[in-house]
Amino acid sequence: MVRLTPVARDQMTGHQSKLYDRISAQRTGGKVGGPFAVMLHAPNICDPVSQFIDQLMSDSPLPHKLKEVTILTIAQAYQAPYEWVVHERRARRFGLDDSVIKSLKIGRRPSFSDPTEKLIYDITKEMLDQRQLSDKLYKQAEEVLSKETLVEFIVLLGFYISVAVLLVSFKVEAPDGEDPFAL
């Protein structure tokens, strides 16, 4: 059960209402849910964080498919249903292989055909499990990714861990109300 209900439209401050309108205009279906529904309770945090999310998810040197490998790995590790459902849809839209998505969902190491996807997964898992990035994986990342892409990737990884923590702390449910991790 959700711990913090969304702020009702008729009870929003002017700042919250403007944020709601901006965020809804940028989201598929115009819905303000998930982390945004929680963060609207703290509009001074919601505003810069929502802009930061938009920047991270925009077209950038880090391909969307790689972003989704990272985010789905994090969502599964934290058992964050909202994060999983939203980003599974994005992963499919950006062409992430269905077998990779299925393996990630059950917490198994996927068989990657793309070595860069494998590297991104390995780094994400190492950061989740060990809380450190080994010299070996860092060196591989330096050889494969530009400095800009590597920095963006590490920022994305850390940020989406924060999003997962926010979502599970407030028990934010998946948009459809189902638990994608239930057996």
Side-chain angles (χ1 to χ4, degrees):
M1 174 174 269
V2 174
R3 289 182 168 160
L4 194 60
T5 57
V7 180
R9 272 298 267 184
D10 63 348
Q11 294 181 359
M12 288 183 183
T13 65
H15 189 194
Q16 287 170 316
S17 189
K18 285 178 187 174
L19 280 170
Y20 182 96
D21 291 343
R22 190 189 79 218
I23 293 166
S24 68
Q26 297 168 332
R27 299 289 170 270
T28 304
K31 295 188 178 187
V32 177
F36 304 106
V38 172
M39 289 186 298
L40 274 170
H41 286 275
N44 290 333
I45 294 296
C46 183
D47 191 7
V49 171
S50 67
Q51 291 178 50
F52 188 63
I53 290 172
D54 291 341
Q55 178 62 42
L56 281 176
M57 300 316 290
S58 67
D59 290 331
S60 69
L62 183 64
H64 289 287
K65 194 182 333 183
L66 299 180
K67 292 175 187 182
E68 299 308 328
V69 168
T70 299
I71 297 167
L72 290 178
T73 302
I74 293 164
Q76 195 285 328
Y78 278 87
Q79 295 288 287
Y82 184 92
E83 192 170 47
W84 178 270
V85 169
V86 168
H87 287 279
E88 179 183 10
R89 292 173 188 161
R90 285 180 55 89
R92 290 184 191 290
R93 190 168 70 237
F94 291 114
L96 189 61
D97 189 85
D98 191 55
S99 67
V100 170
I101 294 170
K102 286 179 182 176
S103 292
L104 291 173
K105 187 174 189 174
I106 60 173
R108 285 210 180 116
R109 178 185 184 77
S111 294
F112 290 101
S113 58
D114 179 333
T116 306
E117 288 177 17
K118 179 186 175 300
L119 176 63
I120 293 296
Y121 171 81
D122 288 345
I123 292 171
T124 302
K125 277 298 283 177
E126 187 169 89
M127 291 300 293
L128 288 166
D129 297 344
Q130 305 301 317
R131 310 292 191 266
Q132 298 215 18
L133 179 56
S134 66
D135 290 340
K136 177 185 172 190
L137 282 178
Y138 181 80
K139 185 170 177 59
Q140 288 176 16
E142 270 190 319
E143 292 169 1
V144 173
L145 305 172
S146 70
K147 287 179 182 151
E148 180 182 3
T149 304
L150 178 56
V151 169
E152 180 184 337
F153 163 56
I154 296 298
V155 168
L156 176 104
L157 190 161
F159 179 76
Y160 270 90
I161 288 173
S162 297
V163 172
V165 168
L166 174 78
L167 293 169
V168 299
S169 294
F170 291 101
K171 295 188 177 186
V172 177
E173 298 172 340
D176 57 10
E178 293 181 31
D179 183 355
F181 305 114
L183 299 175

